[in-house]
Amino acid sequence: MGGSTSAADGAEPLAAAPRSRRIGVLLSVAVLAYLLDLGSKLLVVARLEGHNPIRIFGSWVMLQATRNPGAAFGMGAAMTIVFTIIATTVIVVICRLARKLYSLPWAVALGLLLGGAFGNLTDRIFRAPATFRGAVVDFISVKHFAVFNLADSAIVCGGILVVILSFLGTNPDGSVQGGSSQGGSKPEQRPDDGDQQD
């Protein structure tokens, strides 16, 4: 009976290991995306704001500092506070999803979304003209498209990956719609009642 108890106790750390690794991937991707976005914005504000655009590929792709009070790619300029609330909601939802995360691709996708959302939310909170109404720093200008930043890029890439994973029927918990879990990434079940009674 004592041996069964030990086996049951040891099952939890083994079961938690895959999820903790996926959460580690999610956080690593989120931190990397956030730091790249934050660093690029600080550099742009210090070196590019108030100066002429830097041409990367002629007039097709340029680095051009702008302040955007709207959403990604300059949409909804009059709804700054709304997009602040949306970004905060996205962060809360991702944190809740992380509790049942066992899929590596989903960890990468959610990490990109989380890092991008935090990147632009930082601007909303701390930049002028006011707290929670701050204008986001955009600087990647693509001709006939928009001016955006690395946070926007992370959000778009994460969103595309989420759509692909959903289309393939893959769930955040590692299961496949209409099938079983992928590669045993979900935790193993506890020993059955018969084993515990021995």
Side-chain angles (χ1 to χ4, degrees):
M1 189 168 180
S4 298
T5 303
S6 299
D9 291 342
E12 285 195 13
L14 291 174
R19 184 171 70 94
S20 64
R21 286 197 293 267
R22 301 302 184 264
I23 292 177
V25 171
L26 185 157
L27 293 177
S28 297
V29 172
V31 169
L32 178 61
Y34 177 77
L35 291 179
L36 288 174
D37 178 68
L38 179 62
S40 64
K41 288 174 179 175
L42 292 174
L43 187 61
V44 165
V45 171
R47 300 293 182 88
L48 189 57
E49 200 165 44
H51 296 77
N52 293 327
I54 298 176
R55 296 177 181 270
I56 305 299
F57 294 106
S59 61
W60 289 95
V61 180
M62 298 187 297
L63 299 181
Q64 179 179 6
T66 62
R67 298 293 181 114
N68 171 26
F73 309 114
M75 296 181 292
M79 302 174 64
T80 305
I81 191 65
V82 174
F83 293 121
T84 301
I85 296 172
I86 291 173
T88 305
T89 303
V90 168
I91 291 170
V92 171
V93 170
I94 292 174
C95 291
R96 291 179 64 87
L97 282 175
R99 294 187 299 178
K100 57 178 182 178
L101 182 64
Y102 293 93
S103 167
L104 181 60
W106 270 97
V108 174
L110 294 179
L112 289 170
L113 291 173
L114 185 61
F118 260 119
N120 282 339
L121 185 60
T122 299
D123 282 4
R124 303 285 186 205
I125 296 174
F126 295 107
R127 295 195 185 276
T131 303
F132 298 113
R133 296 179 179 273
V136 173
V137 176
D138 288 336
F139 58 92
I140 304 172
S141 176
V142 178
K143 189 175 182 179
H144 303 312
F145 180 56
V147 184
F148 55 98
N149 56 45
L150 296 185
D152 295 333
S153 300
I155 291 170
V156 170
C157 291
I160 291 173
L161 186 52
V162 166
V163 170
I164 293 174
L165 293 171
S166 299
F167 179 78
L168 295 175
T170 303
N171 299 316
D173 64 359
S175 64
V176 179
Q177 294 178 14
S180 59
S181 62
Q182 295 179 336
S185 57
K186 288 188 68 176
E188 297 179 2
Q189 295 180 349
R190 290 176 176 270
D192 56 36
D193 294 338
D195 293 337
Q196 292 180 356
Q197 292 174 356
D198 290 343

